[in-house]
Amino acid sequence: MIDPTVHPFGKKMRIHERLIESTLFAFALLSIVITLGIAIILIRESYLFFSDPEVELWGFLTGREWQPMIGRFGFLPLLNATLTTSVIAMALGIPVGLFVAIYLSEYASDKTRGILKPVLEVLAGIPTIVYGYFALTFMTPLLRSIFGMETVEIYNTASAGLVIGILVLPMIATMAEDAIGAVPKELRLAAYALGGTKMETTFKVVIPAALSGLSATFLLALSRAIGETMIVALAAGAGPNLTFSPFEAAETITGYIVRISGGDVSYNSVDYNSIFALGLILFLITFTLNMISRKISRMFHQEYE
Amino acid sequence: MNDLNGQTAFGHAADVSSLMEKRRRNGLVWHIVFVFSTTLAVLFLILLVFSIIDSVFGYAVLRNDVEPSALVAGKDSVSAFSRSELEDTARTRLSSGILRRVEYDKPIAERSDKDLVSLIEEYVVKPKVLKTWGFWGSLTERKAIETYIAENEGSYATFRSWLTPSFIMADQSADPLRAGIRTALLGSLWIILITFVFAFPIGVGAAIYLQEYAVDNRLNRMLQLNIFNLSAVPSIIYGLLGLAVFVRFMEPVTSGSFIMGTVDNTANGRTILSGGMTLGLLVLPIIIINTQEALKAVPDTLRMSAYGVGATKWQTIWYQVLPVSVDRILTGTILALSRALGETAPLVVIGASTFISVDPSGIFSKFTTLPIQIYQWSARPQGAYRNIAAAAIVSLLILLLLMNSAAIYTRDKITKKKRLEA
């Protein structure tokens, strides 16, 4: 006899189920804990940094010299180097990445795509330290032989920037191809029907229609370039330097963090706290870029779905 | 009548055809630009691979402290020595301190020929690298190499591969001719293991919650957005998090002193456990996103039929959804772990970059990893370090390749098995 009050999945089972669900929920909640952890630690250590008598916020934001040894904490040289490498990276990565994406989605045959996509995947899967080695042993000598040994220093932001551009290229190409591929076929067909050539259709119809997705891609790539560490640590040089010449050595924000933490730095020193203050700035910049990128791409998804 | 000749709705025929010509030319120019850009991307990959392979093979110009011919007349290399000559040289030429240590480890009479050759080369002959050439340079700059040898007395060139079995098996050394990557390789494997143990259950669990349980409310949308944001946080920030939390705040736990009382305190919390957990946090959002994609690919009909026969939610997930998606979940996880394997910055930030020549013995050991080793060798200006950095890069890339092929292999195997069962 089956007792109708004892369901095979009785009360006991349901507690079981609820337990599992709450455990899984706790795992998901951990991601919030990580974000909060990052925020709390960066803010706490930055607070310690700025409460140091040697440091003042205004001097930090506007100072043109970063020499912790003699109490100069102006972070403009570091920011300037970060922007220099990132701008160079974008100058290479955005056009080439976009053109590769256009070629893949509008021009290439299935066979060519089948060869090119794995190439991009391999490029994207190579660790950044390998790109750093490439910058140091290939890009720098190349730049020096083109522009002259006197003009180009052994460590320079141009070499690091160009290689970061190569690093973000596959990411830009893949994401831009997705954005372009999301443009409905009808738009292209309408443009052809009006007599547009392939190039005109691409530039006057497809690209404008995919613009929000493309800008989201570019912002994400910029954020990646700003946060890139090992390439600049190897190729851009050690030592803050406020310069606008891409051929001079200049340390970036990430390069400084790696150099300082790589040596044995003692806790509660100004050096130790300074890397967290710089980390906070890095986090704020990249976080803002990511959020804007996300907002833009959400808008674009609403457009066509 | 003649006036109308050549007139079309768009203007004069000649104008129209010249306009068409211009548009066609524009199209062609841009087509070339697109093809050129794509070629450039492929070229970058080729150059990258070439510049690494180039440094792995090539001529090295060496100079010995003591020539083998000065040890035994008429023999140019130590490996040509006879057994008795090897033993004699070892007994007479090694300094007394080293000789005592060597005899204490294993008496010279019991050592193999190969062992003695390497002993003599290390402590007596002591070859030093003066200059190295890449593969390309070795082929094209023969003259320069010959002049260089002529200018430096006692130097000789050997063509060598920097990536050898002994390079993989040897431990860290300040001499590029003897340095190896065993310690770094073991460190990398340990780190990956901890990362996997830490991030896989949590990542998959979180993904199951978000994909299978979460209703569309504010909290869950925030969770999802937060995970996307985390996946785009620069890796160096995770290093700072690991430094403050695992290395400093949780030092009693990560250094192992909470279970073993006093341990080797030189690690100061900069242990494999700290490193693995730091990378675990880094790959967690990637594992979650990849697993969610895998779960999304499972058709809803499967869930509905499970509910239909009376399965509970968890039973449906455990017996239906997960078995179908396990191959994709594993592939996604291995991709995330390959990312961890190549990460350098977070580990340098938590302080793993000191010179370490002792193999890691457990999760509370100090460590170094392959990428860190590559970073340190690349950063040195001397030529030979560049060569061993390249050899280490090739080892790292082979390891990554093995991991990814393992992923593809298991995926295919599971897919095939599923197809047979169906």
Side-chain angles (χ1 to χ4, degrees):
Chain A
M1 270 299 273
I2 298 168
D3 187 349
T5 55
V6 184
H7 187 267
F9 314 127
K11 214 171 187 179
K12 216 175 178 182
M13 198 68 197
R14 259 179 248 137
I15 290 171
H16 202 100
E17 290 268 318
R18 219 172 294 152
L19 208 68
I20 289 172
E21 183 176 346
S22 21
T23 313
L24 296 178
F25 178 65
F27 285 168
L29 216 53
L30 190 71
S31 68
I32 299 275
V33 176
I34 297 174
T35 311
L36 285 179
I38 291 176
I40 289 170
I41 275 154
L42 290 181
I43 291 171
R44 197 188 91 105
E45 303 288 338
S46 303
Y47 174 76
L48 290 176
F49 175 69
F50 287 115
S51 57
D52 191 286
E54 282 185 72
V55 186
E56 46 156 3
L57 185 62
W58 184 246
F60 176 77
L61 291 176
T62 58
R64 287 151 177 251
E65 220 182 328
W66 181 274
Q67 298 290 351
M69 304 289 273
I70 54 166
R72 299 270 168 80
F73 293 96
F75 97 123
L76 283 185
L78 301 176
L79 181 71
N80 178 61
T82 293
L83 293 181
T84 310
T85 51
S86 307
V87 166
I88 294 171
M90 291 299 105
L92 173 71
I94 288 183
V96 178
L98 178 63
F99 291 159
V100 171
I102 293 175
Y103 180 75
L104 282 177
S105 69
E106 306 292 307
Y107 288 83
S109 64
D110 282 350
K111 204 174 152 194
T112 330
R113 277 171 57 94
I115 301 169
L116 288 174
K117 289 286 258 183
V119 169
L120 289 179
E121 275 168 32
V122 169
L123 263 179
I126 293 174
T128 58
I129 184 73
V130 180
Y131 282 94
Y133 178 86
F134 181 63
L136 203 55
T137 58
F138 184 85
M139 197 54 87
T140 303
L142 183 72
L143 290 177
R144 296 190 91 192
S145 67
I146 294 175
F147 296 103
M149 295 286 185
E150 298 81 28
T151 0
V152 187
E153 295 180 7
I154 295 181
Y155 299 105
N156 61 78
T157 44
S159 165
L162 287 173
V163 175
I164 296 176
I166 299 176
L167 173 81
V168 295
L169 196 157
M171 171 190 161
I172 294 179
T174 315
M175 288 180 65
E177 198 209 340
D178 286 345
I180 293 172
V183 174
K185 209 177 169 194
E186 288 77 8
L187 284 182
R188 291 186 185 83
L189 295 179
Y192 291 147
L194 290 172
T197 64
K198 195 153 200 171
M199 185 273 279
E200 288 162 347
T201 309
T202 305
F203 277 111
K204 294 183 179 156
V205 177
V206 178
I207 299 283
L211 202 58
S212 51
L214 291 176
S215 8
T217 303
F218 300 154
L219 285 178
L220 216 55
L222 178 61
S223 146
R224 176 91 195 269
I226 289 176
E228 175 44 44
T229 309
M230 292 328 287
I231 297 174
V232 293
L234 275 177
N241 177 12
L242 187 63
T243 171
F244 291 104
S245 160
F247 294 140
E248 280 181 37
E251 193 164 47
T252 66
I253 298 178
T254 50
Y256 175 79
I257 297 177
V258 160
R259 180 167 62 91
I260 293 304
S261 55
D264 253 338
V265 57
S266 51
Y267 301 144
N268 295 327
S269 64
V270 185
D271 274 354
Y272 177 81
N273 294 333
S274 74
I275 61 176
F276 286 89
L278 292 171
L280 180 65
I281 289 185
L282 190 66
F283 182 68
L284 289 178
I285 297 174
T286 52
F287 188 78
T288 314
L289 286 173
N290 297 342
M291 283 303 258
I292 300 173
S293 160
R294 188 116 198 102
K295 271 256 150 62
I296 297 176
S297 80
R298 284 271 279 286
M299 272 155 48
F300 135 84
H301 269 294
Q302 278 162 0
E303 250 172 76
Y304 294 118
E305 273 174 18
Chain B
M1 277 292 270
N2 270 351
D3 290 341
L4 285 176
N5 248 1
Q7 287 289 333
T8 71
F10 306 102
H12 202 270
D15 292 343
V16 173
S17 65
S18 87
L19 181 67
M20 284 306 291
E21 195 48 46
K22 209 177 136 200
R23 289 171 66 195
R24 213 170 288 139
R25 214 168 35 232
N26 264 339
L28 186 70
V29 167
W30 278 103
H31 193 159
I32 293 170
V33 169
F34 298 148
V35 173
F36 175 75
S37 298
T38 313
T39 321
L40 205 59
V42 177
L43 185 72
F44 286 145
L45 181 64
I46 295 171
L47 285 176
L48 187 67
V49 172
F50 174 79
S51 77
I52 292 161
I53 301 290
D54 182 60
S55 302
V56 177
F57 306 97
Y59 276 111
V61 174
L62 310 174
R63 179 153 59 194
N64 297 336
D65 255 20
V66 177
E67 288 299 330
S69 54
L71 300 170
V72 176
K75 298 217 170 152
D76 287 337
S77 109
V78 181
S79 43
F81 286 14
S82 70
R83 175 78 202 179
S84 61
E85 283 166 351
L86 281 173
E87 283 187 23
D88 283 351
T89 318
R91 290 212 176 87
T92 53
R93 286 300 191 130
L94 289 179
S95 71
S96 57
I98 293 167
L99 186 64
R100 210 178 309 130
R101 211 185 67 215
V102 165
E103 287 273 23
Y104 178 78
D105 283 348
K106 196 176 179 189
I108 282 178
E110 290 172 24
R111 286 175 178 254
S112 68
D113 286 7
K114 221 174 143 192
D115 205 6
L116 288 176
V117 169
S118 78
L119 261 181
I120 293 168
E121 278 189 340
E122 184 176 355
Y123 293 112
V124 184
V125 178
K126 285 191 197 159
K128 292 244 156 35
V129 182
L130 295 181
K131 198 170 176 178
T132 62
W133 274 264
F135 188 68
W136 183 247
S138 302
L139 294 180
T140 55
E141 293 168 26
R142 273 244 134 81
K143 272 260 154 56
I145 300 174
E146 277 162 19
T147 347
Y148 188 83
I149 296 170
E151 280 168 5
N152 291 274
E153 209 179 319
S155 64
Y156 59 97
T158 52
F159 189 88
R160 59 179 285 151
S161 154
W162 294 88
L163 180 66
T164 55
S166 69
F167 175 74
I168 290 168
M169 293 314 295
D171 52 13
Q172 165 76 291
S173 160
D175 176 6
L177 286 174
R178 330 208 126 259
I181 53 168
R182 192 189 64 227
T183 311
L185 197 62
L186 289 173
S188 275
L189 295 177
W190 269 106
I191 290 279
I192 286 297
L193 179 72
I194 301 295
T195 305
F196 175 76
V197 169
F198 181 70
F200 181 70
I202 298 180
V204 173
I208 292 176
Y209 175 79
L210 287 170
Q211 205 56 41
E212 304 288 327
Y213 286 95
V215 286
D216 191 25
N217 62 20
R218 252 185 105 137
L219 175 67
N220 291 331
R221 272 201 303 274
M222 196 181 80
L223 282 173
Q224 192 72 65
L225 177 67
N226 182 54
I227 285 163
F228 279 114
N229 276 331
L230 275 181
S231 71
V233 169
S235 60
I236 193 167
I237 302 280
Y238 284 97
L240 291 174
L241 180 68
L243 175 64
V245 175
F246 299 134
V247 174
R248 203 179 159 193
F249 181 66
M250 286 170 53
E251 203 213 305
V253 180
T254 50
S255 66
S257 55
F258 77 111
I259 35 172
M260 292 188 265
T262 48
V263 285
D264 167 31
N265 269 328
T266 53
N268 281 330
R270 292 156 200 258
T271 55
I272 284 179
L273 186 61
S274 299
M277 291 204 290
T278 305
L279 292 189
L281 295 182
L282 174 78
V283 298
L284 191 63
I286 310 175
I287 292 185
I288 295 177
I289 292 171
N290 288 350
T291 307
Q292 276 189 282
E293 291 299 322
L295 295 176
K296 258 182 219 162
V298 177
D300 264 339
T301 47
L302 198 72
R303 297 188 181 89
M304 291 307 162
S305 24
Y307 296 154
V309 295
T312 64
K313 190 132 197 167
W314 179 246
Q315 286 170 330
T316 308
I317 294 168
W318 187 253
Y319 293 105
Q320 301 299 326
V321 178
L322 284 182
V324 179
S325 51
V326 67
D327 47 350
R328 281 167 187 255
I329 294 177
L330 283 181
T331 321
T333 306
I334 289 181
L335 283 180
L337 288 181
S338 348
R339 163 97 195 267
L341 191 63
E343 271 304 337
T344 324
L347 296 180
V348 174
V349 170
I350 69 163
S353 77
T354 39
F355 185 93
I356 285 162
S357 54
V358 185
D359 287 351
S361 57
I363 59 173
F364 300 123
S365 304
K366 288 189 284 188
F367 68 99
T368 180
T369 65
L370 265 180
I372 291 174
Q373 201 64 76
I374 295 167
Y375 170 51
Q376 288 180 333
W377 281 335
S378 306
R380 295 196 182 208
Q382 301 97 318
Y385 287 103
R386 293 276 166 83
N387 296 102
I388 52 177
I393 287 176
V394 173
S395 322
L396 176 65
L397 293 181
I398 290 175
L399 195 61
L400 283 171
L401 200 69
L402 283 179
M403 256 174 85
N404 285 303
S405 0
I408 293 166
Y409 177 75
T410 38
R411 191 187 59 195
D412 287 353
K413 208 167 170 186
I414 292 173
T415 319
K416 208 176 268 172
K417 202 176 145 209
K418 262 194 302 205
R419 213 173 289 139
L420 286 177
E421 282 168 357

